Amino acid sequence: MPAFDLDAWVARSRAIDLTEIDWEAVPRHPVAPEILRTLRYMQDIESHTIVYTRSLLATRAIADPEVATFLACWLYEETFHGLALARFLQAAGRPVGERERPRGSESFPQWLEARLTAVLSRAWPDFCAVHMIWGAINELTTLTGYLRLKTVARHPVLDELLETIMRDESRHFFFYYRQAEIRLQRPVAARVARLLVDRFWAPVGSGVGSDEDLKFMARYLFSGDEGRAQARKVDDTLRKLPGFANAQLLEAWMDRHVGPTGHNGGLNGHRHN
Ligand SMILES: [Fe+2]
Ligand SMILES: [Fe+2]
């Protein structure tokens, strides 16, 4: 039995059809400032995928034909998430505009991190396991973030758009998770991957947007009983992977950076009509 049906996966890969969304209906429904701030952050991170790809292409990831094919589809789909969110923001009267820092520019720590990742990948044949678990964590937190945003925003056009994006994110998650599940069966791969995740993992977008925006978004989406329950669900799913039982992920990050359970400043209950 094949480990993963790539043909079936690729057959479902497509860009979001921007002509199918009723953009004209966007301004007919209010969008709270918190939602706009969250969307701007998400839009920036989605559009940053091409830069992540730059580091990935310097690793062993592209030596595996299955992973290389996946990455090509993944980049294409994520790019359209960025375009679709930009279009929504424009329709809502808050166009994205230019970034303060050009997207391609890296800080020295980012440059160094990319080089060290490339060196580790060259030296260690099982490197791909780390890439796959990293992707699985990031796709699942992204998917859950969109689900939370959809729940609190209650905007009909955004609802439809997020449904479409979430379908892609869940396919991305499935690929990474399945690959991680297979590759982490090697005990050394699982141990090294766990060590690196414990030491270095932070939510996707860390170091790309501002820290304040990341913390704001995390508090907005994952605080309060409902948000915390969703964060726990993310962690519980990832803990099923070999070597990741008891891994401290999204909830632990929330505790360290955002604050203890339930302290959401009332944002979780935010509704507007
Ligand atoms: Fe995405
Ligand atoms: Fe994704």
Side-chain angles (χ1 to χ4, degrees), residues 42 45-47 49 74 77-82 85 139 142 146 165-166 168-169 172:
M42 288 170 154
I45 304 311
E46 292 282 7
S47 306
T49 308
W74 172 76
E77 292 174 19
E78 301 290 22
T79 301
F80 271 83
H81 296 172
L85 293 180
E139 292 292 344
T142 305
Y146 281 133
I165 293 180
M166 281 160 54
D168 288 347
E169 306 299 12
H172 300 164

Side-chain angles (χ1 to χ4, degrees), residues 235-257:
D235 291 351
D236 287 344
T237 304
L238 295 159
R239 285 180 185 136
K240 293 192 180 100
L241 287 169
F244 278 76
N246 305 320
Q248 299 297 309
L249 297 163
L250 188 54
E251 253 210 304
W253 186 91
M254 290 287 298
D255 286 341
R256 284 199 308 278
H257 297 273

Side-chain angles (χ1 to χ4, degrees), residues 21 88 146-147 149-167:
I21 308 282
F88 182 89
Y146 281 133
L147 180 68
L149 180 63
K150 179 173 136 55
T151 310
V152 294
R154 306 209 319 180
H155 183 291
V157 182
L158 186 61
D159 208 83
E160 192 192 335
L161 178 58
L162 292 179
E163 277 288 335
T164 313
I165 293 180
M166 281 160 54
R167 268 199 294 277

